[in-house]
Amino acid sequence: MNLQPMRKLISLALLLSPLLAGLAFPAFGDTVTYDNVRYIITSETDSTSTYEVSLYQILEAPRILIPDKISYGGHNYEVTSISEDNTCIYPENLERDVYIDKIDFSLAAHIDTFPMSATWTGCTDIDTLILPPNLNYAAEFYALCSTEGYDEKGSRYLGIKRLFSSGTTDIDIESFQSCYALVEVDLSTTAIDSLLWNQHLLQGTFEQCYWLENIKLPETVRFFDGYTFALCTRLIGIDLPGSLEHIGQYCFARSTFKTLHIPSKVRYIDPTFVFDNYWLESISVAIDNPFFKSDSGVLCSKSGKTIYTIPYSLRKDRYIFPEVADSVNERAFARKLGYTGSESQLDTAVYAIDVIRHFVFNHGLRYLGESAFCHSPLETAENFGSTQVSIIPKDCFWGSNLRGIELPVELSVIEAAAFDSCHKIDSVRFLGSVISHIGEGAFRLCTSLDSLDISAQTRLKTIRAHICDGCTSLRSVKLPTSIDSIGNYAFSGCVSLSEIEVPVLDPIPVDESVFSGVDKSSCRLIVPAPSIGKYRAAPVWRDFLNIESGDLLTLTVLSADPAMGSVSPTTAYARHGDTVTITATPLSGYRFTLWSDSVTANPRDITVTRDTVLTAHFAPYTPDTFAVTLLCDSATGTVSGAGRYPEGTAATLTATPREGYAFTRWEDNHGLTFTDNPLTLTVTCDTLLTALFREDGTGHSPADDDGCAAWVTPDGTLRVRCPGCRLMELRTVTGLTLYSGAPVDIPLPHPGVYLLTLDGDTYKVMRR
């Protein structure tokens, strides 16, 4: 065997035991043999204690055990650390017939740090690396486990394949990312708390460990950061530690396991955590997890109301939404969007996998998350039209295999790119929905879409940019009467467009890009008959050579007296059966009364079946009047000010006590109290007020904040009403105590001023 010297394979700092002081020290160039490995002294760092040694030559057993101590010349030297000059392990040019099979640091108790430059690029045959027991920091392990080049068969990367811990410390691990050769990792003996996103490399802890098949983690890990196991394409299973609480974004993206169990302490799961895991068949959840549960393999909120994640390969031909579910989480069944990891054969392999392609929606569904079905294999959305969904959010069905869809009656908003790039969708049907907003690019690149009829959406004001850009099969477009603007590139690239209906009286100013690619020499532009001349003269519109009137009906709206109010629109063109919203707006001092056909609704939706004229009637505004009713005990007082008042009037109400009584407060029929007397009340509705009086005297009013009352009756009796009061004291002004104890009624001995204390608060009362 040709045993050529190796440059700096292992450099260790050796601390001479204090007991050896004064003894002979190895000299520069001397060798030390330990466990069939010879070391050579390469430099003297301290003339009395420390030496740096490097592996010089490997003998017959190529297993390197990095020891805690080395004996030389009858003396013991302790290994204190990997050398600080960052040259610890660096075999650059190993001969093929000289190789290291295993490097074991389990006895190197004093090594606590692996520096960043501890590269192993020459260790092409190392199978196993065992970490030091007290290691507390290790920089990017990719430098240890990712070597350039392939094995002799060219099928996989060279480098360390197995990595094991030997101690229980909390290792601060920056990254194992791109450890291409790594097959097995066991960190179960450590006390690791988190697997973090590497801020320097912008990658997850084990991201792109393509050959990683098995990993064991300790029951101390609480936090998985973003991309932790992303693109571990051979990781067919993982046991999540029971201590885990947080699972970050794209954590298991592109992994290949079929089942995943969520432990009981997990409280946060990012919606993308199993993104692009095509083989995932089921997600289970610990029964005592308070935040999540599994419904037949689907991850849901604990209540079952939110569908959180639907595994791609759930063992079902179709997925039926549970009746209790009312929302679908963002990216619940999405793939590809937002993840920029390298593409692989998985993109084509997915088509051979049994994935869900048919969904049956439930009536109680109300909310869809952003990108919920983005780039999914979803083909049919059965019963979607019967849901209560009011908003289809951004990117919701973008790039899916959806073939056609019926929109819910409750729907009012379609956000940007909702159906962008749905290449197979051929029809979008509006089932009576009233749409007020369709976002930019909503149907962009729907290359199979045949027609778009939004003529009934009379609350839609704007056709947004790129709405049907690139819809190469689109033949017919029908716009509503309400639109007042069309965004750039709205129908760009619609090369099959043969008919556009625009039932708007005055041509809308548009950019040339709106119809770029449309054959304007053959496409029919259908407009209101009175407006044909206007369209033939308007920029862009005049480029259409076939401008004609269609079967449009006219709705004319008038005001019976323009001095009292206005109407909108004044003229509208619609097809038979279309709905148009009309509004009557009164001027100040007037009110709308009814339409000429006796309907009082305003605004009002009109279904146009013939040419129609409607007139709005107005009248001077007369405020409504409301009754103010006053009550009291006639034996104790009288009230005045009752009657009917116009709305908004300030009514003055007075309560007058009879002799021997005093006014206390007003109480109304809504439970409110008032202490002002006279009381000024703004009348806005029918109101009932009761005036309350008490026996005359002086004392603490029951309307005060604490709810207590004390007064002197005409016969000289002090009466006290103070709920919750524990101590009452009554004294003369000279300080003589007349009573101390629980609140009671007390006859005052003679006219004059007295001091009454209730739970520490003192008041003056007087007997006349």
Side-chain angles (χ1 to χ4, degrees):
M1 180 180 295
N2 180 18
L3 300 180
Q4 296 183 357
M6 289 181 284
R7 292 173 38 189
K8 295 183 180 179
L9 179 58
I10 299 179
S11 297
L12 303 171
L14 302 181
L15 177 63
L16 181 65
S17 170
L19 296 177
L20 303 179
L23 299 180
F25 298 98
F28 178 83
D30 286 354
T31 60
V32 177
T33 301
Y34 184 87
D35 193 23
N36 291 326
V37 176
R38 289 195 301 169
Y39 300 82
I40 184 170
I41 307 301
T42 59
S43 65
E44 182 177 324
T45 59
D46 187 312
S47 62
T48 61
S49 62
T50 305
Y51 296 84
E52 181 182 290
V53 300
S54 293
L55 181 65
Y56 175 70
Q57 195 172 45
I58 299 176
L59 301 183
E60 293 181 358
R63 305 287 194 275
I64 298 179
L65 175 67
I66 306 300
D68 189 54
K69 296 179 180 180
I70 291 179
S71 296
Y72 173 72
H75 306 304
N76 291 325
Y77 295 83
E78 294 184 355
V79 178
T80 58
S81 66
I82 295 178
S83 64
E84 296 181 357
D85 66 355
N86 294 332
T87 60
C88 55
I89 300 172
Y90 203 101
E92 286 186 346
N93 299 304
L94 290 178
E95 296 293 328
R96 274 293 174 185
D97 55 354
V98 180
Y99 66 92
I100 304 171
D101 181 74
K102 177 181 180 181
I103 298 181
D104 185 350
F105 282 95
S106 62
L107 297 182
H110 296 322
I111 297 179
D112 59 7
T113 302
F114 269 19
M116 183 178 297
S117 64
T119 56
W120 298 59
T121 54
C123 300
T124 56
D125 295 298
I126 294 178
D127 179 85
T128 304
L129 172 65
I130 301 177
L131 302 175
N134 295 320
L135 185 69
N136 57 41
Y137 174 76
E140 292 94 342
F141 270 92
Y142 76 94
L144 305 178
C145 305
S146 60
T147 62
E148 296 179 359
Y150 295 88
D151 61 10
E152 294 178 357
K153 296 180 180 179
S155 59
R156 58 176 296 165
Y157 282 91
L158 300 170
I160 296 173
K161 300 171 181 63
R162 292 168 180 82
L163 185 71
F164 301 104
S165 61
S166 63
T168 59
T169 57
D170 183 1
I171 306 175
D172 182 6
I173 296 175
E174 288 193 8
S175 184
F176 289 92
Q177 64 87 20
S178 300
C179 292
Y180 303 130
L182 206 57
V183 174
E184 182 180 4
V185 174
D186 186 347
L187 302 175
S188 58
T189 65
T190 68
I192 296 173
D193 177 79
S194 304
L195 298 180
L196 299 176
W197 166 261
N198 187 292
Q199 298 294 333
H200 173 66
L201 298 171
L202 301 181
Q203 286 185 303
T205 305
F206 291 95
E207 184 175 356
Q208 293 185 353
C209 291
Y210 296 125
W211 286 83
L212 183 63
E213 296 178 358
N214 298 291
I215 184 167
K216 293 182 180 179
L217 298 172
E219 288 295 320
T220 55
V221 178
R222 297 185 303 109
F223 192 93
F224 283 178
D225 208 347
Y227 298 83
T228 304
F229 299 98
L231 283 167
C232 292
T233 54
R234 287 174 176 78
L235 187 61
I236 58 176
I238 184 171
D239 292 327
L240 301 183
S243 54
L244 190 63
E245 299 175 6
H246 178 108
I247 301 177
Q249 64 174 343
Y250 302 109
C251 190
F252 304 109
R254 292 286 179 97
S255 56
T256 55
F257 45 77
K258 294 184 178 181
T259 61
L260 182 67
H261 181 72
I262 306 298
S264 60
K265 293 184 179 180
V266 174
R267 61 178 60 239
Y268 173 80
I269 301 176
D270 188 271
T272 63
F273 80 116
V274 289
F275 193 78
D276 269 14
N277 187 330
Y278 308 138
W279 284 267
L280 187 62
E281 297 176 356
S282 176
I283 301 174
S284 62
V285 182
I287 192 68
D288 56 344
N289 186 297
F291 304 100
F292 302 97
K293 74 173 185 178
S294 176
D295 183 358
S296 301
V298 174
L299 182 63
C300 304
S301 61
K302 192 67 174 182
S303 65
K305 290 187 175 181
T306 300
I307 304 298
Y308 205 83
T309 301
I310 304 172
Y312 289 128
S313 296
L314 190 70
R315 294 290 185 138
K316 295 178 180 291
D317 177 60
R318 59 177 54 196
Y319 178 68
I320 302 175
F321 279 77
E323 283 303 314
V324 69
D326 66 4
S327 61
V328 178
N329 197 47
E330 59 179 289
R331 295 175 171 85
F333 196 61
R335 58 180 293 264
K336 294 183 74 172
L337 180 67
Y339 183 63
T340 57
S342 61
E343 299 298 320
S344 71
Q345 67 272 21
L346 294 177
D347 281 328
T348 54
V350 68
Y351 297 108
I353 302 172
D354 250 345
V355 295
I356 307 173
R357 291 178 167 83
H358 310 286
F359 283 78
V360 181
F361 292 88
N362 63 317
H363 175 70
L365 186 67
R366 294 176 178 271
Y367 309 103
L368 293 177
E370 188 174 298
S371 307
F373 300 95
C374 177
H375 282 289
S376 76
L378 168 71
E379 294 182 5
T380 60
E382 188 176 337
N383 291 344
F384 186 69
S386 66
T387 67
Q388 301 177 54
V389 171
S390 60
I391 298 175
I392 297 180
K394 179 182 177 183
D395 305 332
C396 186
F397 295 97
W398 183 9
S400 70
N401 288 337
L402 193 64
R403 297 183 181 277
I405 193 167
E406 293 182 343
L407 302 180
V409 174
E410 302 289 335
L411 190 67
S412 61
V413 173
I414 301 174
E415 292 188 344
F419 298 95
D420 193 335
S421 301
C422 289
H423 299 298
K424 297 182 180 180
I425 194 169
D426 56 10
S427 64
V428 177
R429 295 177 291 280
F430 297 82
L431 300 181
S433 53
V434 181
I435 308 295
S436 59
H437 174 85
I438 300 179
E440 182 172 334
F443 302 102
R444 188 180 71 94
L445 292 175
C446 290
T447 52
S448 297
L449 187 62
D450 179 75
S451 62
L452 182 67
D453 184 353
I454 52 176
S455 59
Q457 308 306 324
T458 55
R459 294 185 182 177
L460 187 65
K461 299 294 184 182
T462 301
I463 302 299
R464 303 282 172 177
H466 300 278
I467 185 173
C468 289
D469 187 0
C471 293
T472 53
S473 298
L474 190 64
R475 296 183 302 104
S476 172
V477 172
K478 295 182 178 181
L479 302 182
T481 59
S482 55
I483 62 165
D484 55 23
S485 65
I486 301 177
N488 292 351
Y489 299 96
F491 302 101
S492 173
C494 296
V495 294
S496 301
L497 200 57
S498 60
E499 181 179 288
I500 305 173
E501 289 192 11
V502 188
V504 180
L505 191 62
D506 295 316
I508 299 169
V510 294
D511 185 82
E512 290 185 357
S513 65
V514 170
F515 299 107
S516 62
V518 176
D519 186 353
K520 301 180 184 65
S521 65
S522 61
C523 180
R524 297 170 61 222
L525 178 61
I526 301 173
V527 300
S531 303
I532 290 179
K534 295 180 180 180
Y535 279 86
R536 287 176 176 170
V540 180
W541 300 106
R542 64 190 175 202
D543 296 337
F544 286 88
L545 302 185
N546 297 316
I547 302 178
E548 56 191 73
S549 63
D551 298 326
L552 298 176
L553 301 172
T554 303
L555 174 63
T556 303
V557 187
L558 305 173
S559 172
D561 190 342
M564 295 183 181
S566 60
V567 293
S568 175
T570 56
T571 305
Y573 295 92
R575 303 166 195 86
H576 187 278
D578 284 357
T579 300
V580 178
T581 302
I582 60 175
T583 304
T585 306
L587 297 176
S588 178
Y590 299 92
R591 62 186 177 86
F592 169 78
T593 56
L594 76 170
W595 298 99
S596 53
D597 59 357
S598 300
V599 175
T600 58
N602 184 37
R604 176 186 177 187
D605 289 338
I606 298 292
T607 300
V608 182
T609 58
R610 56 185 174 80
D611 290 337
T612 304
V613 177
L614 286 172
T615 302
H617 292 271
F618 302 92
Y621 175 73
T622 302
D624 291 333
T625 60
F626 298 102
V628 176
T629 303
L630 302 180
L631 301 176
C632 72
D633 183 349
S634 60
T636 60
T638 61
V639 290
S640 62
R644 294 195 70 85
Y645 291 87
E647 182 181 6
T649 300
T652 301
L653 313 175
T654 304
T656 305
R658 295 189 186 280
E659 184 177 356
Y661 294 90
F663 171 78
T664 299
R665 64 186 182 276
W666 298 96
E667 290 186 353
D668 75 355
N669 54 322
H670 304 295
L672 301 177
T673 62
F674 309 91
T675 58
D676 292 347
N677 188 28
L679 172 65
T680 301
L681 180 71
T682 301
V683 180
T684 58
C685 61
D686 290 337
T687 304
L688 174 64
L689 284 167
T690 301
L692 301 178
F693 302 94
R694 59 176 170 79
E695 292 177 279
D696 193 14
T698 61
H700 184 49
S701 170
D704 284 358
D705 291 341
D706 56 11
C708 294
W711 67 95
V712 180
T713 66
D715 66 359
T717 300
L718 173 64
R719 293 189 175 177
V720 178
R721 302 291 182 268
C722 193
C725 181
R726 297 181 178 180
L727 178 63
M728 165 183 160
E729 293 183 346
L730 181 65
R731 303 186 305 277
T732 66
V733 291
T734 60
L736 177 64
T737 300
L738 301 178
Y739 175 81
S740 179
V744 295
D745 293 347
I746 298 178
L748 299 178
H750 51 74
V753 176
Y754 297 82
L755 300 178
L756 173 66
T757 301
L758 299 172
D759 276 351
D761 294 326
T762 302
Y763 312 96
K764 290 182 179 180
V765 295
M766 183 177 65
R767 176 183 174 184
R768 290 190 175 89

